[in-house]
Amino acid sequence: MRNSVFLQACRREKTAYTPVWLMRQAGRYMPEYRALRERVPFLTLCKTPDLAAQVTVEAVERLGVDAAILFADILLILEPMGVGLEFSKGDGPVIHRPVRSGADVDRLVESPPAETVPFVFEAVRKARAGLPAHIPLIGFSGAPFTVASYLIEGGSSRNYIETKRLMYQDAGVWRALMELLVRNITAYVNGQIAAGAQAIQFFDSWIGCLSPADYRAFILPHMQSLFAGITPGVPVIHFGTDTSGLLELLTEAGGDVIGVDWRIDLDTAWRRIGHDRAVQGNLDPVTLFAPRDELRKQVKRVLHEAGGRVGHIFNLGHGILPQTPVENVVALVNMVHEGSEELKVENEEEEKIP
Ligand code: CP3
């Protein structure tokens, strides 16, 4: 397993080719997944370890990617807090009793994930057992801000008005909420590691709505304490979108690998992050709707920007969209593998020129 290309890249070791996996690689763009979902509601699927493991493993088999990501959701940890979680058809996730005040924060139920979401850890064990030995399993959690945004807004949001209102209104309440989430997420992620997850990704998907000054004041200390609590020896990927204004701060917060979206060139991003960290990204998910030649051009551009350096994990800048043609996703994985080997040969030949 030490020789898995994905884990090697996380540790910034030399790899034979550039590893690739894709956010939302198991999901609605896959006919097999849609067929399963006709029979099983989304939350039931997440709570049935055999099925969650099956979906995790099937995506890897279908795509030929270099890592698996556990099939679960960042919102699963909210249900046991007593706020009422529902995935409604069409509207996305709904929190029935959103948190809007200090009293609401005080009412949140805090209990060990091993008791409240044991099905996630069981899914980790089953997925690990079902995967080929050389394919690592990535566990994950939402990061505190992104999780809090659902908890406070009651669902998806555009402007995060309620979240920021709470953040600006009462520093003590905000801190109490962040600290509760950090404790919960730490236990959740360490539980996944104990069950067999070999890397962890924190999804801070909506962090890009914050100014750098607000990130520093309201988020950075909590992210640092989150990273400090994770079981050592397991690489952690720190992912966000719309983070072009925040890359230095995300790096300061922590993570062995920093996720980069497509709104910034990968080489520019990597320079700002520093070449002493690995990076993951950063193709626009919508290039998967482009003709093959354009897709290939874009894959080569990203690989070229990575410059053959150690520590690049190829991914999209955000998740695969549900309408994406599966065959284009398979083609992308092959293009990354072939393109990175070609680039490696080119680089080696250049080195030979006196
Ligand atoms: O990446 C994977 O293949 C692993 C599984 C995974 C899911 N959600 C399954 C899912 C992961 C890693 C997530 C993370 C997640 N969940 C994030 C962070 C990543 C991101 O996209 O920024 C967020 C914000 C959520 C919250 C969430 N879950 C939303 C907003 C929705 C509804 C919107 C949508 O895309 O449908 C979900 C539901 C969800 N989570 C689905 C899947 C496959 C679709 C549910 C269905 O089958 O209908």
Side-chain angles (χ1 to χ4, degrees), residues 22-28 33 37 42 69-75 87 92-93 140 146 150 156 203 205-206 239 318-319:
L22 304 163
M23 289 180 273
R24 290 281 169 104
Q25 66 192 20
R28 281 165 301 178
Y33 177 81
R37 280 279 287 102
F42 177 65
I69 182 156
L70 175 69
F71 189 85
D73 197 87
I74 65 165
L75 303 182
F87 285 88
F140 70 91
T146 292
Y150 286 95
S156 301
F203 284 92
S205 306
W206 314 133
F239 166 80
H318 204 174

PDB file of all heavy atoms in Angstrom, residues 22-28 33 37 42 69-75 87 92-93 140 146 150 156 203 205-206 239 318-319, ligand 1:
ATOM      1  N   LEU A  22     -11.790  11.536  -8.623  1.00  0.00           N
ATOM      2  CA  LEU A  22     -12.690  12.643  -8.935  1.00  0.00           C
ATOM      3  C   LEU A  22     -13.725  12.816  -7.838  1.00  0.00           C
ATOM      4  O   LEU A  22     -14.369  11.851  -7.405  1.00  0.00           O
ATOM      5  CB  LEU A  22     -13.378  12.381 -10.281  1.00  0.00           C
ATOM      6  CG  LEU A  22     -12.369  12.148 -11.423  1.00  0.00           C
ATOM      7  CD1 LEU A  22     -13.040  11.503 -12.616  1.00  0.00           C
ATOM      8  CD2 LEU A  22     -11.672  13.438 -11.820  1.00  0.00           C
ATOM      9  N   MET A  23     -13.877  14.053  -7.397  1.00  0.00           N
ATOM     10  CA  MET A  23     -14.906  14.323  -6.399  1.00  0.00           C
ATOM     11  C   MET A  23     -16.268  13.986  -7.004  1.00  0.00           C
ATOM     12  O   MET A  23     -16.508  14.286  -8.166  1.00  0.00           O
ATOM     13  CB  MET A  23     -14.834  15.787  -5.969  1.00  0.00           C
ATOM     14  CG  MET A  23     -13.583  16.053  -5.131  1.00  0.00           C
ATOM     15  SD  MET A  23     -13.462  17.749  -4.594  1.00  0.00           S
ATOM     16  CE  MET A  23     -12.621  18.456  -5.999  1.00  0.00           C
ATOM     17  N   ARG A  24     -17.112  13.354  -6.196  1.00  0.00           N
ATOM     18  CA  ARG A  24     -18.416  12.829  -6.640  1.00  0.00           C
ATOM     19  C   ARG A  24     -18.265  11.752  -7.711  1.00  0.00           C
ATOM     20  O   ARG A  24     -19.089  11.672  -8.622  1.00  0.00           O
ATOM     21  CB  ARG A  24     -19.322  13.949  -7.163  1.00  0.00           C
ATOM     22  CG  ARG A  24     -19.826  14.896  -6.090  1.00  0.00           C
ATOM     23  CD  ARG A  24     -20.978  14.278  -5.319  1.00  0.00           C
ATOM     24  NE  ARG A  24     -21.298  15.063  -4.139  1.00  0.00           N
ATOM     25  CZ  ARG A  24     -22.350  15.873  -4.045  1.00  0.00           C
ATOM     26  NH1 ARG A  24     -23.188  15.980  -5.032  1.00  0.00           N
ATOM     27  NH2 ARG A  24     -22.563  16.535  -2.954  1.00  0.00           N
ATOM     28  N   GLN A  25     -17.185  10.949  -7.591  1.00  0.00           N
ATOM     29  CA  GLN A  25     -16.999   9.915  -8.612  1.00  0.00           C
ATOM     30  C   GLN A  25     -18.067   8.829  -8.525  1.00  0.00           C
ATOM     31  O   GLN A  25     -18.317   8.115  -9.489  1.00  0.00           O
ATOM     32  CB  GLN A  25     -15.587   9.338  -8.567  1.00  0.00           C
ATOM     33  CG  GLN A  25     -15.215   8.564  -7.320  1.00  0.00           C
ATOM     34  CD  GLN A  25     -13.700   8.285  -7.270  1.00  0.00           C
ATOM     35  OE1 GLN A  25     -12.888   8.935  -7.929  1.00  0.00           O
ATOM     36  NE2 GLN A  25     -13.307   7.286  -6.488  1.00  0.00           N
ATOM     37  N   ALA A  26     -18.686   8.702  -7.352  1.00  0.00           N
ATOM     38  CA  ALA A  26     -19.842   7.813  -7.215  1.00  0.00           C
ATOM     39  C   ALA A  26     -21.066   8.709  -7.101  1.00  0.00           C
ATOM     40  O   ALA A  26     -21.196   9.437  -6.134  1.00  0.00           O
ATOM     41  CB  ALA A  26     -19.694   6.968  -5.956  1.00  0.00           C
ATOM     42  N   GLY A  27     -21.933   8.674  -8.074  1.00  0.00           N
ATOM     43  CA  GLY A  27     -23.088   9.569  -7.969  1.00  0.00           C
ATOM     44  C   GLY A  27     -24.027   9.478  -9.160  1.00  0.00           C
ATOM     45  O   GLY A  27     -23.944   8.538  -9.959  1.00  0.00           O
ATOM     46  N   ARG A  28     -24.868  10.474  -9.263  1.00  0.00           N
ATOM     47  CA  ARG A  28     -25.991  10.388 -10.193  1.00  0.00           C
ATOM     48  C   ARG A  28     -25.633  10.346 -11.666  1.00  0.00           C
ATOM     49  O   ARG A  28     -26.461   9.998 -12.491  1.00  0.00           O
ATOM     50  CB  ARG A  28     -26.954  11.557  -9.948  1.00  0.00           C
ATOM     51  CG  ARG A  28     -27.843  11.319  -8.743  1.00  0.00           C
ATOM     52  CD  ARG A  28     -28.498  12.594  -8.332  1.00  0.00           C
ATOM     53  NE  ARG A  28     -27.455  13.568  -8.026  1.00  0.00           N
ATOM     54  CZ  ARG A  28     -27.687  14.819  -7.666  1.00  0.00           C
ATOM     55  NH1 ARG A  28     -28.913  15.258  -7.591  1.00  0.00           N
ATOM     56  NH2 ARG A  28     -26.690  15.619  -7.390  1.00  0.00           N
ATOM     57  N   TYR A  33     -25.738   3.846 -10.352  1.00  0.00           N
ATOM     58  CA  TYR A  33     -26.131   4.564  -9.136  1.00  0.00           C
ATOM     59  C   TYR A  33     -27.595   4.983  -9.224  1.00  0.00           C
ATOM     60  O   TYR A  33     -28.361   4.810  -8.275  1.00  0.00           O
ATOM     61  CB  TYR A  33     -25.223   5.786  -8.927  1.00  0.00           C
ATOM     62  CG  TYR A  33     -25.631   6.609  -7.718  1.00  0.00           C
ATOM     63  CD1 TYR A  33     -25.241   6.234  -6.437  1.00  0.00           C
ATOM     64  CD2 TYR A  33     -26.434   7.745  -7.859  1.00  0.00           C
ATOM     65  CE1 TYR A  33     -25.625   6.977  -5.330  1.00  0.00           C
ATOM     66  CE2 TYR A  33     -26.828   8.486  -6.761  1.00  0.00           C
ATOM     67  CZ  TYR A  33     -26.420   8.100  -5.494  1.00  0.00           C
ATOM     68  OH  TYR A  33     -26.812   8.818  -4.399  1.00  0.00           O
ATOM     69  N   ARG A  37     -30.698   4.071  -6.753  1.00  0.00           N
ATOM     70  CA  ARG A  37     -31.449   5.131  -6.088  1.00  0.00           C
ATOM     71  C   ARG A  37     -32.955   5.074  -6.369  1.00  0.00           C
ATOM     72  O   ARG A  37     -33.747   5.627  -5.619  1.00  0.00           O
ATOM     73  CB  ARG A  37     -30.878   6.498  -6.475  1.00  0.00           C
ATOM     74  CG  ARG A  37     -29.628   6.858  -5.701  1.00  0.00           C
ATOM     75  CD  ARG A  37     -29.957   7.396  -4.311  1.00  0.00           C
ATOM     76  NE  ARG A  37     -30.500   8.750  -4.399  1.00  0.00           N
ATOM     77  CZ  ARG A  37     -31.776   9.065  -4.297  1.00  0.00           C
ATOM     78  NH1 ARG A  37     -32.678   8.152  -4.082  1.00  0.00           N
ATOM     79  NH2 ARG A  37     -32.174  10.319  -4.390  1.00  0.00           N
ATOM     80  N   PHE A  42     -31.716   8.279  -0.592  1.00  0.00           N
ATOM     81  CA  PHE A  42     -30.316   8.636  -0.389  1.00  0.00           C
ATOM     82  C   PHE A  42     -29.829   8.370   1.040  1.00  0.00           C
ATOM     83  O   PHE A  42     -28.781   7.761   1.257  1.00  0.00           O
ATOM     84  CB  PHE A  42     -30.087  10.117  -0.767  1.00  0.00           C
ATOM     85  CG  PHE A  42     -28.682  10.571  -0.515  1.00  0.00           C
ATOM     86  CD1 PHE A  42     -27.616  10.040  -1.228  1.00  0.00           C
ATOM     87  CD2 PHE A  42     -28.412  11.536   0.454  1.00  0.00           C
ATOM     88  CE1 PHE A  42     -26.310  10.454  -0.987  1.00  0.00           C
ATOM     89  CE2 PHE A  42     -27.114  11.952   0.700  1.00  0.00           C
ATOM     90  CZ  PHE A  42     -26.056  11.415  -0.027  1.00  0.00           C
ATOM     91  N   ILE A  69     -13.302   7.126  -2.807  1.00  0.00           N
ATOM     92  CA  ILE A  69     -13.792   7.987  -1.728  1.00  0.00           C
ATOM     93  C   ILE A  69     -15.049   7.338  -1.168  1.00  0.00           C
ATOM     94  O   ILE A  69     -15.916   6.886  -1.911  1.00  0.00           O
ATOM     95  CB  ILE A  69     -14.050   9.442  -2.167  1.00  0.00           C
ATOM     96  CG1 ILE A  69     -14.521  10.275  -0.962  1.00  0.00           C
ATOM     97  CG2 ILE A  69     -15.016   9.524  -3.339  1.00  0.00           C
ATOM     98  CD1 ILE A  69     -14.276  11.749  -1.048  1.00  0.00           C
ATOM     99  N   LEU A  70     -15.062   7.283   0.143  1.00  0.00           N
ATOM    100  CA  LEU A  70     -16.193   6.682   0.849  1.00  0.00           C
ATOM    101  C   LEU A  70     -17.505   7.287   0.375  1.00  0.00           C
ATOM    102  O   LEU A  70     -17.620   8.509   0.255  1.00  0.00           O
ATOM    103  CB  LEU A  70     -16.016   6.964   2.348  1.00  0.00           C
ATOM    104  CG  LEU A  70     -17.168   6.503   3.235  1.00  0.00           C
ATOM    105  CD1 LEU A  70     -17.215   4.982   3.273  1.00  0.00           C
ATOM    106  CD2 LEU A  70     -17.032   7.089   4.623  1.00  0.00           C
ATOM    107  N   PHE A  71     -18.503   6.466   0.145  1.00  0.00           N
ATOM    108  CA  PHE A  71     -19.821   7.000  -0.165  1.00  0.00           C
ATOM    109  C   PHE A  71     -20.520   7.353   1.146  1.00  0.00           C
ATOM    110  O   PHE A  71     -20.814   6.484   1.968  1.00  0.00           O
ATOM    111  CB  PHE A  71     -20.665   6.023  -0.981  1.00  0.00           C
ATOM    112  CG  PHE A  71     -21.907   6.694  -1.467  1.00  0.00           C
ATOM    113  CD1 PHE A  71     -21.908   7.433  -2.635  1.00  0.00           C
ATOM    114  CD2 PHE A  71     -23.068   6.654  -0.716  1.00  0.00           C
ATOM    115  CE1 PHE A  71     -23.031   8.119  -3.051  1.00  0.00           C
ATOM    116  CE2 PHE A  71     -24.202   7.338  -1.131  1.00  0.00           C
ATOM    117  CZ  PHE A  71     -24.195   8.066  -2.291  1.00  0.00           C
ATOM    118  N   ALA A  72     -20.759   8.645   1.336  1.00  0.00           N
ATOM    119  CA  ALA A  72     -21.398   9.178   2.547  1.00  0.00           C
ATOM    120  C   ALA A  72     -21.778  10.613   2.226  1.00  0.00           C
ATOM    121  O   ALA A  72     -21.827  10.983   1.056  1.00  0.00           O
ATOM    122  CB  ALA A  72     -20.433   9.110   3.730  1.00  0.00           C
ATOM    123  N   ASP A  73     -22.033  11.424   3.232  1.00  0.00           N
ATOM    124  CA  ASP A  73     -22.322  12.842   2.974  1.00  0.00           C
ATOM    125  C   ASP A  73     -21.839  13.696   4.140  1.00  0.00           C
ATOM    126  O   ASP A  73     -21.838  13.238   5.289  1.00  0.00           O
ATOM    127  CB  ASP A  73     -23.821  13.067   2.757  1.00  0.00           C
ATOM    128  CG  ASP A  73     -24.062  14.422   2.092  1.00  0.00           C
ATOM    129  OD1 ASP A  73     -24.019  14.487   0.854  1.00  0.00           O
ATOM    130  OD2 ASP A  73     -24.252  15.417   2.819  1.00  0.00           O
ATOM    131  N   ILE A  74     -21.464  14.934   3.829  1.00  0.00           N
ATOM    132  CA  ILE A  74     -20.955  15.818   4.894  1.00  0.00           C
ATOM    133  C   ILE A  74     -22.038  16.183   5.913  1.00  0.00           C
ATOM    134  O   ILE A  74     -21.728  16.656   6.984  1.00  0.00           O
ATOM    135  CB  ILE A  74     -20.314  17.117   4.338  1.00  0.00           C
ATOM    136  CG1 ILE A  74     -21.358  17.998   3.643  1.00  0.00           C
ATOM    137  CG2 ILE A  74     -19.168  16.809   3.385  1.00  0.00           C
ATOM    138  CD1 ILE A  74     -20.864  19.431   3.414  1.00  0.00           C
ATOM    139  N   LEU A  75     -23.295  15.953   5.566  1.00  0.00           N
ATOM    140  CA  LEU A  75     -24.371  16.365   6.484  1.00  0.00           C
ATOM    141  C   LEU A  75     -24.812  15.262   7.440  1.00  0.00           C
ATOM    142  O   LEU A  75     -25.637  15.498   8.327  1.00  0.00           O
ATOM    143  CB  LEU A  75     -25.570  16.883   5.676  1.00  0.00           C
ATOM    144  CG  LEU A  75     -25.226  18.045   4.724  1.00  0.00           C
ATOM    145  CD1 LEU A  75     -26.467  18.527   3.992  1.00  0.00           C
ATOM    146  CD2 LEU A  75     -24.583  19.203   5.481  1.00  0.00           C
ATOM    147  N   PHE A  87     -33.171  14.874   2.945  1.00  0.00           N
ATOM    148  CA  PHE A  87     -32.778  15.159   1.561  1.00  0.00           C
ATOM    149  C   PHE A  87     -34.053  15.101   0.740  1.00  0.00           C
ATOM    150  O   PHE A  87     -34.566  14.034   0.451  1.00  0.00           O
ATOM    151  CB  PHE A  87     -31.750  14.138   1.066  1.00  0.00           C
ATOM    152  CG  PHE A  87     -30.380  14.370   1.633  1.00  0.00           C
ATOM    153  CD1 PHE A  87     -30.009  13.793   2.843  1.00  0.00           C
ATOM    154  CD2 PHE A  87     -29.462  15.189   0.990  1.00  0.00           C
ATOM    155  CE1 PHE A  87     -28.751  14.016   3.380  1.00  0.00           C
ATOM    156  CE2 PHE A  87     -28.197  15.416   1.523  1.00  0.00           C
ATOM    157  CZ  PHE A  87     -27.840  14.832   2.718  1.00  0.00           C
ATOM    158  N   GLY A  92     -32.669  19.621  -2.598  1.00  0.00           N
ATOM    159  CA  GLY A  92     -31.416  19.347  -1.905  1.00  0.00           C
ATOM    160  C   GLY A  92     -31.664  19.169  -0.420  1.00  0.00           C
ATOM    161  O   GLY A  92     -32.795  18.918   0.005  1.00  0.00           O
ATOM    162  N   PRO A  93     -30.607  19.308   0.384  1.00  0.00           N
ATOM    163  CA  PRO A  93     -30.747  19.020   1.816  1.00  0.00           C
ATOM    164  C   PRO A  93     -31.533  20.101   2.559  1.00  0.00           C
ATOM    165  O   PRO A  93     -31.454  21.277   2.228  1.00  0.00           O
ATOM    166  CB  PRO A  93     -29.303  19.001   2.303  1.00  0.00           C
ATOM    167  CG  PRO A  93     -28.496  19.700   1.269  1.00  0.00           C
ATOM    168  CD  PRO A  93     -29.244  19.656  -0.001  1.00  0.00           C
ATOM    169  N   PHE A 140     -13.809  11.225   4.647  1.00  0.00           N
ATOM    170  CA  PHE A 140     -13.969  12.679   4.557  1.00  0.00           C
ATOM    171  C   PHE A 140     -14.952  13.208   5.578  1.00  0.00           C
ATOM    172  O   PHE A 140     -15.719  12.479   6.201  1.00  0.00           O
ATOM    173  CB  PHE A 140     -14.432  13.098   3.154  1.00  0.00           C
ATOM    174  CG  PHE A 140     -15.852  12.714   2.831  1.00  0.00           C
ATOM    175  CD1 PHE A 140     -16.903  13.591   3.095  1.00  0.00           C
ATOM    176  CD2 PHE A 140     -16.153  11.477   2.267  1.00  0.00           C
ATOM    177  CE1 PHE A 140     -18.220  13.240   2.789  1.00  0.00           C
ATOM    178  CE2 PHE A 140     -17.467  11.121   1.966  1.00  0.00           C
ATOM    179  CZ  PHE A 140     -18.487  12.003   2.231  1.00  0.00           C
ATOM    180  N   THR A 146     -18.324  25.061   6.446  1.00  0.00           N
ATOM    181  CA  THR A 146     -19.279  24.568   5.439  1.00  0.00           C
ATOM    182  C   THR A 146     -20.411  23.786   6.111  1.00  0.00           C
ATOM    183  O   THR A 146     -21.581  23.930   5.744  1.00  0.00           O
ATOM    184  CB  THR A 146     -18.528  23.749   4.367  1.00  0.00           C
ATOM    185  OG1 THR A 146     -17.698  24.659   3.632  1.00  0.00           O
ATOM    186  CG2 THR A 146     -19.477  23.034   3.414  1.00  0.00           C
ATOM    187  N   TYR A 150     -24.839  24.912   6.514  1.00  0.00           N
ATOM    188  CA  TYR A 150     -26.089  24.150   6.362  1.00  0.00           C
ATOM    189  C   TYR A 150     -26.906  24.189   7.654  1.00  0.00           C
ATOM    190  O   TYR A 150     -28.127  24.330   7.649  1.00  0.00           O
ATOM    191  CB  TYR A 150     -25.800  22.700   5.960  1.00  0.00           C
ATOM    192  CG  TYR A 150     -25.369  22.592   4.520  1.00  0.00           C
ATOM    193  CD1 TYR A 150     -24.025  22.570   4.177  1.00  0.00           C
ATOM    194  CD2 TYR A 150     -26.307  22.542   3.495  1.00  0.00           C
ATOM    195  CE1 TYR A 150     -23.616  22.500   2.853  1.00  0.00           C
ATOM    196  CE2 TYR A 150     -25.910  22.471   2.162  1.00  0.00           C
ATOM    197  CZ  TYR A 150     -24.572  22.453   1.851  1.00  0.00           C
ATOM    198  OH  TYR A 150     -24.175  22.392   0.539  1.00  0.00           O
ATOM    199  N   SER A 156     -28.935  24.723   1.412  1.00  0.00           N
ATOM    200  CA  SER A 156     -27.955  25.395   0.566  1.00  0.00           C
ATOM    201  C   SER A 156     -28.239  26.891   0.584  1.00  0.00           C
ATOM    202  O   SER A 156     -29.340  27.311   0.928  1.00  0.00           O
ATOM    203  CB  SER A 156     -28.038  24.856  -0.855  1.00  0.00           C
ATOM    204  OG  SER A 156     -27.801  23.461  -0.834  1.00  0.00           O
ATOM    205  N   PHE A 203     -13.899  18.873   3.233  1.00  0.00           N
ATOM    206  CA  PHE A 203     -14.595  19.689   2.243  1.00  0.00           C
ATOM    207  C   PHE A 203     -14.998  21.010   2.893  1.00  0.00           C
ATOM    208  O   PHE A 203     -15.917  21.050   3.709  1.00  0.00           O
ATOM    209  CB  PHE A 203     -15.870  18.979   1.771  1.00  0.00           C
ATOM    210  CG  PHE A 203     -15.616  17.837   0.807  1.00  0.00           C
ATOM    211  CD1 PHE A 203     -15.452  16.550   1.268  1.00  0.00           C
ATOM    212  CD2 PHE A 203     -15.564  18.062  -0.556  1.00  0.00           C
ATOM    213  CE1 PHE A 203     -15.238  15.496   0.378  1.00  0.00           C
ATOM    214  CE2 PHE A 203     -15.343  17.015  -1.446  1.00  0.00           C
ATOM    215  CZ  PHE A 203     -15.181  15.733  -0.977  1.00  0.00           C
ATOM    216  N   SER A 205     -16.317  23.467   1.121  1.00  0.00           N
ATOM    217  CA  SER A 205     -16.795  23.824  -0.220  1.00  0.00           C
ATOM    218  C   SER A 205     -17.194  25.292  -0.352  1.00  0.00           C
ATOM    219  O   SER A 205     -17.017  25.883  -1.400  1.00  0.00           O
ATOM    220  CB  SER A 205     -17.981  22.946  -0.588  1.00  0.00           C
ATOM    221  OG  SER A 205     -17.624  21.592  -0.449  1.00  0.00           O
ATOM    222  N   TRP A 206     -17.748  25.878   0.699  1.00  0.00           N
ATOM    223  CA  TRP A 206     -18.315  27.236   0.564  1.00  0.00           C
ATOM    224  C   TRP A 206     -17.497  28.301   1.276  1.00  0.00           C
ATOM    225  O   TRP A 206     -17.942  29.426   1.461  1.00  0.00           O
ATOM    226  CB  TRP A 206     -19.776  27.243   1.048  1.00  0.00           C
ATOM    227  CG  TRP A 206     -20.565  26.090   0.512  1.00  0.00           C
ATOM    228  CD1 TRP A 206     -21.382  25.277   1.229  1.00  0.00           C
ATOM    229  CD2 TRP A 206     -20.623  25.607  -0.855  1.00  0.00           C
ATOM    230  NE1 TRP A 206     -21.925  24.303   0.414  1.00  0.00           N
ATOM    231  CE2 TRP A 206     -21.470  24.483  -0.865  1.00  0.00           C
ATOM    232  CE3 TRP A 206     -20.019  25.990  -2.055  1.00  0.00           C
ATOM    233  CZ2 TRP A 206     -21.738  23.756  -2.031  1.00  0.00           C
ATOM    234  CZ3 TRP A 206     -20.279  25.260  -3.213  1.00  0.00           C
ATOM    235  CH2 TRP A 206     -21.128  24.170  -3.194  1.00  0.00           C
ATOM    236  N   PHE A 239      -9.671  20.973   1.101  1.00  0.00           N
ATOM    237  CA  PHE A 239     -10.314  21.397  -0.150  1.00  0.00           C
ATOM    238  C   PHE A 239     -11.316  22.527   0.073  1.00  0.00           C
ATOM    239  O   PHE A 239     -12.062  22.524   1.052  1.00  0.00           O
ATOM    240  CB  PHE A 239     -11.038  20.185  -0.771  1.00  0.00           C
ATOM    241  CG  PHE A 239     -12.003  20.561  -1.863  1.00  0.00           C
ATOM    242  CD1 PHE A 239     -11.538  20.838  -3.144  1.00  0.00           C
ATOM    243  CD2 PHE A 239     -13.363  20.676  -1.607  1.00  0.00           C
ATOM    244  CE1 PHE A 239     -12.427  21.206  -4.150  1.00  0.00           C
ATOM    245  CE2 PHE A 239     -14.257  21.042  -2.613  1.00  0.00           C
ATOM    246  CZ  PHE A 239     -13.780  21.312  -3.879  1.00  0.00           C
ATOM    247  N   HIS A 318     -14.098  20.824  -8.603  1.00  0.00           N
ATOM    248  CA  HIS A 318     -15.257  20.552  -7.743  1.00  0.00           C
ATOM    249  C   HIS A 318     -15.884  19.271  -8.281  1.00  0.00           C
ATOM    250  O   HIS A 318     -15.344  18.660  -9.193  1.00  0.00           O
ATOM    251  CB  HIS A 318     -16.223  21.749  -7.781  1.00  0.00           C
ATOM    252  CG  HIS A 318     -17.095  21.847  -6.558  1.00  0.00           C
ATOM    253  ND1 HIS A 318     -17.932  22.898  -6.332  1.00  0.00           N
ATOM    254  CD2 HIS A 318     -17.275  20.998  -5.510  1.00  0.00           C
ATOM    255  CE1 HIS A 318     -18.579  22.726  -5.185  1.00  0.00           C
ATOM    256  NE2 HIS A 318     -18.190  21.560  -4.670  1.00  0.00           N
ATOM    257  N   GLY A 319     -17.010  18.851  -7.708  1.00  0.00           N
ATOM    258  CA  GLY A 319     -17.550  17.532  -8.037  1.00  0.00           C
ATOM    259  C   GLY A 319     -18.078  17.386  -9.467  1.00  0.00           C
ATOM    260  O   GLY A 319     -18.467  18.363 -10.099  1.00  0.00           O
TER     261      GLY A 319
HETATM  262  O1  CP3 B   1     -17.576  12.165  -3.879  1.00  0.00           O
HETATM  263  C1  CP3 B   1     -18.155  11.062  -3.755  1.00  0.00           C
HETATM  264  O2  CP3 B   1     -18.372  10.286  -4.696  1.00  0.00           O
HETATM  265  C2  CP3 B   1     -18.493  10.592  -2.351  1.00  0.00           C
HETATM  266  C3  CP3 B   1     -19.770  10.912  -1.865  1.00  0.00           C
HETATM  267  C4  CP3 B   1     -20.152  12.337  -1.477  1.00  0.00           C
HETATM  268  C5  CP3 B   1     -21.487  12.777  -1.517  1.00  0.00           C
HETATM  269  N1  CP3 B   1     -21.541  14.023  -0.965  1.00  0.00           N
HETATM  270  C6  CP3 B   1     -22.626  11.992  -2.003  1.00  0.00           C
HETATM  271  C7  CP3 B   1     -23.869  12.692  -2.368  1.00  0.00           C
HETATM  272  C8  CP3 B   1     -19.382  13.389  -0.970  1.00  0.00           C
HETATM  273  C9  CP3 B   1     -17.885  13.469  -0.772  1.00  0.00           C
HETATM  274  C10 CP3 B   1     -20.283  14.441  -0.638  1.00  0.00           C
HETATM  275  C11 CP3 B   1     -19.862  15.700  -0.003  1.00  0.00           C
HETATM  276  C12 CP3 B   1     -20.822  16.811   0.072  1.00  0.00           C
HETATM  277  N2  CP3 B   1     -22.153  16.763   0.403  1.00  0.00           N
HETATM  278  C13 CP3 B   1     -20.480  18.168  -0.063  1.00  0.00           C
HETATM  279  C14 CP3 B   1     -19.097  18.661  -0.295  1.00  0.00           C
HETATM  280  C15 CP3 B   1     -18.692  18.478  -1.712  1.00  0.00           C
HETATM  281  C16 CP3 B   1     -19.217  19.509  -2.645  1.00  0.00           C
HETATM  282  O3  CP3 B   1     -19.884  19.123  -3.598  1.00  0.00           O
HETATM  283  O4  CP3 B   1     -18.904  20.671  -2.397  1.00  0.00           O
HETATM  284  C17 CP3 B   1     -21.640  18.928   0.133  1.00  0.00           C
HETATM  285  C18 CP3 B   1     -21.741  20.421   0.038  1.00  0.00           C
HETATM  286  C19 CP3 B   1     -22.684  18.030   0.424  1.00  0.00           C
HETATM  287  C20 CP3 B   1     -24.076  18.376   0.754  1.00  0.00           C
HETATM  288  C21 CP3 B   1     -25.023  17.817  -0.201  1.00  0.00           C
HETATM  289  N3  CP3 B   1     -25.306  16.480  -0.352  1.00  0.00           N
HETATM  290  C22 CP3 B   1     -25.830  18.530  -1.109  1.00  0.00           C
HETATM  291  C23 CP3 B   1     -25.821  20.030  -1.285  1.00  0.00           C
HETATM  292  C24 CP3 B   1     -26.602  17.581  -1.779  1.00  0.00           C
HETATM  293  C25 CP3 B   1     -27.709  17.849  -2.733  1.00  0.00           C
HETATM  294  C26 CP3 B   1     -27.225  18.460  -3.984  1.00  0.00           C
HETATM  295  C27 CP3 B   1     -26.882  17.390  -4.939  1.00  0.00           C
HETATM  296  O5  CP3 B   1     -25.763  17.403  -5.456  1.00  0.00           O
HETATM  297  O6  CP3 B   1     -27.782  16.591  -5.158  1.00  0.00           O
HETATM  298  C28 CP3 B   1     -26.214  16.301  -1.323  1.00  0.00           C
HETATM  299  C29 CP3 B   1     -26.707  14.978  -1.786  1.00  0.00           C
HETATM  300  C30 CP3 B   1     -25.700  13.999  -2.294  1.00  0.00           C
HETATM  301  N4  CP3 B   1     -24.525  13.672  -1.667  1.00  0.00           N
HETATM  302  C31 CP3 B   1     -25.806  13.193  -3.454  1.00  0.00           C
HETATM  303  C32 CP3 B   1     -24.678  12.360  -3.501  1.00  0.00           C
HETATM  304  C33 CP3 B   1     -24.360  11.294  -4.512  1.00  0.00           C
HETATM  305  C34 CP3 B   1     -26.985  13.193  -4.404  1.00  0.00           C
HETATM  306  C35 CP3 B   1     -28.104  12.499  -3.717  1.00  0.00           C
HETATM  307  C36 CP3 B   1     -28.953  11.698  -4.647  1.00  0.00           C
HETATM  308  O7  CP3 B   1     -28.585  10.533  -4.943  1.00  0.00           O
HETATM  309  O8  CP3 B   1     -29.993  12.198  -5.043  1.00  0.00           O
END
